[in-house]
């Protein structure tokens, strides 16, 4: 659908033209729309805005404008704002774009433009904002001298060659992003020294032989607030006294993946610091205690370094602003430091994948008013899960520790809880059916513990992922067990209306987990909100698979393997139209594989092995792409699908392998022929010899016996 609105008004009045949520080729504009807008009134309008995108939104717009730059736009000489963002435009930017002499803002990011950024663009005197991020542009010859230009974003392109020194002419720049520039050699940091108005500078992932000196780059502008050098090689060593810091304005510093080997001491003087990311470096030793005394520090990411401990700060100077603390993937040992309990404003605490031991500190009760995410996964923590500590949690992950005991019943009061991951501990308890009362619980992982007993009927209205595998659960699942699992039955219109695709997205933290999927342990670094899975494998469930399983139409992964299920595979599984992975192996299932499963077009992996199944294997295409091992140890299965997936094995068996009985019969047959061949030759010789003697010599014993009988017969005949 094409939507266009124009308010040309009278001669000289302001006009606005917008085109949003469109699906058309740019040539439509050139042929049909341009003549409409290029009437006298529009051409003379004092301010004209043309929008083919939705620049106010972070995510790509729904436009799919294709083709080249709409060349007729260049005739709109009074145009002040032009946005082509988040489309599929290709080709080059027009070299005569300077004909838009009144242009103030030009946004064309998130397209596929190629070639050179035209130098004429930087000659438009009124231009203040240029955003060409995330295209395929490969060169920029000169920046020109635009005294009014304040924002320039050319990151995410294929720009190569030296950064033009003319960037220093853009003296009014407030924001500059040159990320991903392949300088093909060194570059001179002094080119930024003239940009005294610069507030935001991003030089991430530069392919250069130059090591960026942190202290020097901080000296470029006293107004610098945001500096991002992530992915570039940075030296953060202090060469002189930092008593007179180069800038007191820095509020956001990103040094992720910069090869930094020691904690930058210059940070101690940056009292305006709000956001600090020094993750993915080679920093070892202690995290300095003074870090937590920076009065405005809100976000700290120390992840993926080789820190071994926290230096204990003085409690009197601790910042009350700290909200987000990430310390995962380090070498931290000992107990979780108690000073963390004094950071009462913490919203997210991630200390996963370290070597912390001891129990979870009870003093964390001080955090319960604000703490939203707690991730202590992959440590060596022991003891039980404390009561009444984390009432406001949205996500709790304590997997892969050595925690014991029962689940605290206080969890029932965690009304905001969406993710509960307790896998690979030593919890010994019955099934926590009471968790079904949690109104927002979407992910429940009890995998690899010592939970036991039957799993009582429960209505998990919001649950999307449930993994209770490798425990000691037993008993029979009622046929209506899954009747009230509404989120797995239908996700409603969530797919259409949600702008957030992953759990936790938009909060600096995204949930993750490990799940058996398609026969392998798959790490979900991010969990799609529409992803659904059930894993009941490795328990002692008996009886039939509940027929109500067929109600879970949104289910993607189903694993019931390694149990003691009996009876038939329910034909209602044919209703699982979203199913991608099915494993019912190593049970005691009998009967046929339902033919309805052959219609599940998304079913990429299945395993029926080690059961007592019989009959015709369904003929769906997906069945013909499985491994033969998916059907093994079901002697009664047959059909073209099975013959096709096991044809190599059958061929090999018929040509190269024989049963012991077949081999024995063949050996006896060969032996008989050999014996016959051995006796045949002497027999012929002996027979010929006897015949010769009888014919020529006629011995008396022969003639007396046979000759008498002959004469007697003749005399009898005469009479």
């Amino acid at each position: 659908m094409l939507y266009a609105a124009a308010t040309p008004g009278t001669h000289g009045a302001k006009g606005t033209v917008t085109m949003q949520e469109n699906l058309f080729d740019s040539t439509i504009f050139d042929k049909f729309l341009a003549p409409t807008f290029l009437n006298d009134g529009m051409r003379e309008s004092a301010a004209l805005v043309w929008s083919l995108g939705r620049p106010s939104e972070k995510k790509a717009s729904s436009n799919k404008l294709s083709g080249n730059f709409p060349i007729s736009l260049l005739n709109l000489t009074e145009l002040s704002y032009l946005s082509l963002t988040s489309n599929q435009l290709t080709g080059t930017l027009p070299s005569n774009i300077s004909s838009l002499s009144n242009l103030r803002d030009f946004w064309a990011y998130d397209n596929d433009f190629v070639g050179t950024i035209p130098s004429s663009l930087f000659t438009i005197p009124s231009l203040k904002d240029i955003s060409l991020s995330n295209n395929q542009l490969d060169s920029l010859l000169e920046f020109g001298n635009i005294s009014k230009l304040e924002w320039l974003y050319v990151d995410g392109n294929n720009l190569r060659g030296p950064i033009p020194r003319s960037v220093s002419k853009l003296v009014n720049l407030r924001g500059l992003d040159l990320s991903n520039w392949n300088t093909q050699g060194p570059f001179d940091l002094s080119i930024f020294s003239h940009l005294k108005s610069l507030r935001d500078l991003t030089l991430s992932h530069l392919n250069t032989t130059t090591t960026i000196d942190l202290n020097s780059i901080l000296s470029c502008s006293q107004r610098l607030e945001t500096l991002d050098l992530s992915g570039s090689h940075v030296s953060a060593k202090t060469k002189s006294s930092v008593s007179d810091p180069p800038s007191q304005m820095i509020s956001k510093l990103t040094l992720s993946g910069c090869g930094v080997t020691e904690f930058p001491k210059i940070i101690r003087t940056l009292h305006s610091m709000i956001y600090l990311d020094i993750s993915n470096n080679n920093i070892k030793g202690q995290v300095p205690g003074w870090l937590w005394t920076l009065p405005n520090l809100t976000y700290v990411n120390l992840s993926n370094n080789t820190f071994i401990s926290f230096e204990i700060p003085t409690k009197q100077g601790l910042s009350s602003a700290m909200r987000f603390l990430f310390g995962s993937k380090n070498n931290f040992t000992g107990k979780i430091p108690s000073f963390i309990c004094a950071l009462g404003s913490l919203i997210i605490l991630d200390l996963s994948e370290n070597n912390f031991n001891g129990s979870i500190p009870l003093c964390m009760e001080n955090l319960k008013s604000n703490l939203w995410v707690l991730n202590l996964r992959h440590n060596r923590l022991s003891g039980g899960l404390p009561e009444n500590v984390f009432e406001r949690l949205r996500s709790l992950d304590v997997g892969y520790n050595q925690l014991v005991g029962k689940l605290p019943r206080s969890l029932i009061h965690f009304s905001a809880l969406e993710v509960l991951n307790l896998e690979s501990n030593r919890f010994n308890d019955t099934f926590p059916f009471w968790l079904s009362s949690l109104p927002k619980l979407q992910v429940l992982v009890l995998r690899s513990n010592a939970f036991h007993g039957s799993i009582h009927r429960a209505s998990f209205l919001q649950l999307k992922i449930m993994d209770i595998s490798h425990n000691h659960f037993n008993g029979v699942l009622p046929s209506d067990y899954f009747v009230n699992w509404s989120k797995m039955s239908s996700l409603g219109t969530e797919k259409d209306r949600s702008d957030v695709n992953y759990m936790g997205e938009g909060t600096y933290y995204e949930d993750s987990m490990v799940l058996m999927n398609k026969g392998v342990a798959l790490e979900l670094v991010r969990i799609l909100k529409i992803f659904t899975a059930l894993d009941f494998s490795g328990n002692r469930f008996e009886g039939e698979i509940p027929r109500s399983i067929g109600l879970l139409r949104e289910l993607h992964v189903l694993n019931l393997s390694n149990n003691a299920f009996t009876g038939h595979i329910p034909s209602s599984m044919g209703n699982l139209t979203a199913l991608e992975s099915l494993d019912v192996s190593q049970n005691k299932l009998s009967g046929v594989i339902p033919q309805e499963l052959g219609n599940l077009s998304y079913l990429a992996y299945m395993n029926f092995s080690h059961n007592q199944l019989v009959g015709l294997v369904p003929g769906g295409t997906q069945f013909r792409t499985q491994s033969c091992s998916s059907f093994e140890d079901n002697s009664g299965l047959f059909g073209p699908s099975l013959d096709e997936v096991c044809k190599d094995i059958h061929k090999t068996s018929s040509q190269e392998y024989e049963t012991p009985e077949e081999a024995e019969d063949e050996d006896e047959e060969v032996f008989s022929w050999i014996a016959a061949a051995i006796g045949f030759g002497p027999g012929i010789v002996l027979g010929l010899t006897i015949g010769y003697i009888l014919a020529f010599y006629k011995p008396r014993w022969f003639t007396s016996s046979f000759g008498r009988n002959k004469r007697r017969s003749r005399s009898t005949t005469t009479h």
Side-chain angles (χ1 to χ4, degrees):
M1 177 179 179
L2 179 63
Y3 170 78
T7 56
T10 59
H11 183 79
K14 291 185 178 181
T16 298
V17 179
T18 61
M19 300 191 68
Q20 297 183 349
E21 300 183 8
N22 308 315
L23 179 59
F24 64 102
D25 189 279
S26 62
T27 55
I28 293 180
F29 172 81
D30 290 335
K31 291 181 180 179
F32 303 107
L33 299 180
T36 302
F37 296 127
L38 294 177
N39 58 58
D40 291 339
M42 292 291 263
R43 187 180 293 110
E44 298 295 332
S45 60
L48 185 63
V49 178
W50 179 263
S51 176
L52 295 174
R54 293 162 64 181
S56 62
E57 297 189 10
K58 177 184 176 182
K59 299 187 74 63
S61 69
S62 57
N63 294 325
K64 294 183 180 179
L65 188 68
S66 61
N68 294 328
F69 184 97
I71 204 68
S72 296
L73 285 175
L74 300 179
N75 295 321
L76 301 176
T77 55
E78 298 297 323
L79 202 63
S80 62
Y81 173 85
L82 174 59
S83 174
L84 306 172
T85 65
S86 303
N87 284 289
Q88 300 170 6
L89 293 170
T90 57
T92 60
L93 295 173
S95 59
N96 58 338
I97 196 170
S98 57
S99 62
L100 300 175
S101 55
N102 291 292
L103 198 61
R104 187 186 66 183
D105 300 317
F106 177 44
W107 291 8
Y109 60 82
D110 292 335
N111 280 286
D112 292 305
F113 287 118
V114 298
T116 301
I117 300 175
S119 298
S120 62
L121 180 64
F122 297 95
T123 64
I124 302 175
S126 57
L127 208 55
K128 286 188 174 182
D129 191 342
I130 299 175
S131 182
L132 300 174
S133 305
N134 302 321
N135 279 281
Q136 305 296 324
L137 299 165
D138 57 25
S139 61
L140 193 165
L141 302 178
E142 288 295 335
F143 283 105
N145 186 12
I146 309 178
S147 59
K148 292 185 178 181
L149 192 64
E150 295 180 359
W151 308 96
L152 175 61
Y153 300 96
V154 293
D155 54 294
N157 281 283
N158 298 324
L159 296 172
R160 60 182 182 270
I163 296 175
R165 297 190 63 86
S166 55
V167 69
S168 60
K169 298 178 181 179
L170 308 178
V171 293
N172 288 311
L173 270 184
R174 299 171 63 190
L176 175 63
D177 193 340
L178 304 179
S179 299
N180 305 102
W181 196 306
N182 182 0
T183 67
Q184 299 177 330
F187 80 100
D188 188 359
L189 288 173
S190 66
I191 61 177
F192 304 114
S193 61
H194 299 286
L195 308 181
K196 301 301 183 183
S197 299
L198 202 60
R199 295 183 182 180
D200 301 326
L201 176 60
T202 303
L203 301 174
S204 65
H205 300 282
L206 294 183
N207 186 359
T208 177
T209 58
T210 299
T211 297
I212 300 174
D213 184 78
L214 180 61
N215 296 334
S216 297
I217 203 72
L218 286 173
S219 301
C220 286
S221 171
Q222 294 297 315
R223 296 185 179 183
L224 200 60
E225 297 176 2
T226 300
L227 177 61
D228 185 351
L229 303 176
S230 57
S232 298
H233 192 58
V234 173
S235 173
K237 295 181 179 180
T238 303
K239 298 179 181 179
S240 59
S241 172
V242 294
S243 59
D244 184 20
S247 174
Q248 290 289 339
M249 299 293 292
I250 286 287
S251 60
K252 182 176 181 180
L253 179 60
T254 304
L255 300 174
S256 178
C258 292
V260 177
T261 57
E262 65 179 47
F263 204 98
K265 293 182 176 62
I266 190 69
I267 293 173
R268 187 171 190 169
T269 66
L270 305 179
H271 299 297
S272 298
M273 181 77 69
I274 296 174
Y275 179 105
L276 174 63
D277 184 353
I278 55 172
S279 62
N280 303 297
N281 283 292
N282 301 310
I283 308 174
K284 54 184 180 295
Q286 286 187 315
V287 179
W290 52 257
L291 180 64
W292 317 108
T293 65
L294 295 178
N296 299 301
L297 194 60
T298 300
Y299 176 102
V300 174
N301 193 341
L302 309 169
S303 301
N304 203 13
N305 280 282
T306 54
F307 290 114
I308 59 173
S309 64
F310 289 92
E311 183 182 12
I312 305 302
T314 57
K315 292 186 178 180
Q316 291 79 8
L318 284 178
S319 170
S320 60
M322 183 60 59
R323 300 286 192 275
F324 309 95
L325 175 54
F326 297 87
S328 64
K329 298 181 181 178
N330 279 282
N331 295 330
F332 291 122
T333 59
K335 295 183 178 181
I336 296 175
S338 59
F339 84 88
I340 289 178
C341 298
L343 303 175
S345 298
L346 273 181
I347 295 174
I348 295 175
L349 176 60
D350 185 354
L351 299 176
S352 60
E353 298 190 52
N354 282 288
N355 295 304
F356 287 115
N357 57 34
S359 59
I360 299 174
L362 294 176
C363 68
M364 281 192 172
E365 185 176 7
N366 299 335
L367 308 178
K368 69 179 182 181
S369 298
N370 296 299
L371 196 63
W372 200 29
V373 172
L374 178 62
N375 190 343
L376 301 176
R377 184 182 184 84
H378 274 293
N379 279 284
R380 299 178 181 178
L381 299 173
S382 56
L385 203 58
E387 295 263 3
N388 303 314
V389 173
F390 311 115
E391 294 179 0
R392 296 196 62 183
L393 283 181
R394 183 197 68 80
S395 177
L396 174 60
D397 190 342
V398 292
Y400 292 93
N401 280 285
Q402 301 167 18
L403 300 175
V404 298
K406 296 185 176 183
L407 297 188
R409 293 320 189 248
S410 59
L411 284 171
I412 201 172
H413 302 301
F414 289 23
S415 58
L417 196 64
E418 296 179 6
V419 178
L420 178 59
N421 194 334
L422 309 173
E423 70 174 308
S424 297
N425 278 283
R426 301 172 185 173
F427 289 111
N428 190 338
D429 202 352
T430 55
F431 180 70
F433 65 92
W434 38 272
L435 290 176
S436 63
S437 64
L438 296 180
K440 296 184 178 181
L441 188 64
Q442 299 180 46
V443 177
L444 176 61
V445 182
L446 307 179
R447 178 187 181 93
S448 299
N449 278 281
F451 289 99
H452 55 272
S454 59
I455 60 172
H456 302 283
R457 184 183 285 107
S459 300
F460 289 97
L461 300 179
Q462 299 297 319
L463 203 64
K464 298 175 183 176
I465 298 176
M466 182 175 181
D467 186 347
I468 60 173
S469 62
H470 301 284
N471 281 283
H472 307 301
F473 292 119
N474 56 29
V476 176
L477 301 179
S479 62
D480 61 347
Y481 189 80
F482 299 106
V483 167
N484 293 318
W485 295 39
S486 56
K487 275 298 179 183
M488 295 189 189
S489 300
S490 174
L491 293 178
T493 59
E494 181 178 352
K495 296 178 184 178
D496 300 324
R497 69 170 181 261
S498 177
D499 287 331
V500 180
N501 294 322
Y502 298 95
M503 297 194 65
E505 187 177 4
T507 63
Y508 288 123
Y509 177 88
E510 293 177 342
D511 299 286
S512 62
M513 64 175 294
V514 175
L515 182 75
M516 285 298 296
N517 187 6
K518 300 180 181 178
V520 296
L522 179 67
E523 182 180 7
L524 303 178
V525 179
R526 298 188 296 176
I527 304 175
L528 272 169
K529 276 201 163 186
I530 62 171
F531 185 75
T532 56
L534 278 182
D535 192 342
F536 283 24
S537 64
N539 284 285
R540 303 169 186 170
F541 292 117
E542 301 173 329
E544 295 187 351
I545 298 173
R547 291 191 299 275
S548 58
I549 195 75
L551 297 173
L552 309 183
R553 297 175 183 270
E554 296 292 339
L555 194 61
H556 294 92
V557 175
L558 177 59
N559 191 346
L560 303 175
S561 65
N562 198 15
N563 279 285
F565 285 114
T566 56
H568 295 187
I569 299 173
S571 59
S572 62
M573 281 190 182
N575 297 326
L576 305 181
T577 52
L579 199 63
E580 300 173 11
S581 176
L582 172 63
D583 193 342
V584 294
S585 63
Q586 300 186 63
N587 281 285
K588 299 177 182 179
L589 298 170
S590 57
V592 300
I593 299 175
Q595 293 297 311
E596 291 84 351
L597 297 185
N599 299 323
L600 301 181
S601 56
Y602 292 108
L603 190 57
Y605 172 86
M606 61 192 80
N607 193 343
F608 302 97
S609 64
H610 305 289
N611 281 287
Q612 301 163 18
L613 299 171
V614 298
L616 180 67
V617 174
T621 303
Q622 64 274 28
F623 276 82
R624 292 187 170 93
T625 61
Q626 301 304 306
S627 166
C628 185
S629 60
S630 296
F631 305 98
E632 69 181 356
D633 199 18
N634 289 284
S635 58
L637 291 176
F638 64 89
S641 296
L642 186 64
D643 293 339
E644 184 168 342
V645 299
C646 297
K647 59 185 178 181
D648 292 336
I649 294 179
H650 290 169
K651 182 178 179 180
T652 301
S653 298
S654 62
Q655 292 182 349
E656 299 182 8
Y657 299 99
E658 298 169 333
T659 64
E661 293 80 3
E662 291 173 336
E664 183 177 349
D665 292 342
E666 184 173 325
D667 288 344
E668 290 180 356
E669 185 176 351
V670 171
F671 177 79
S672 298
W673 278 104
I674 292 174
I678 292 174
F680 184 70
I684 293 178
V685 174
L686 181 60
L688 291 174
T689 303
I690 294 174
Y692 178 81
I693 294 172
L694 291 177
F696 292 97
Y697 293 94
K698 296 180 181 175
R700 183 173 296 181
W701 61 267
F702 178 82
T703 54
S704 61
S705 298
F706 293 95
R708 186 182 302 119
N709 291 336
K710 185 178 180 181
R711 286 194 300 268
R712 182 180 298 159
S713 63
R714 285 179 178 175
S715 61
T716 303
T717 304
T718 304
H719 288 288

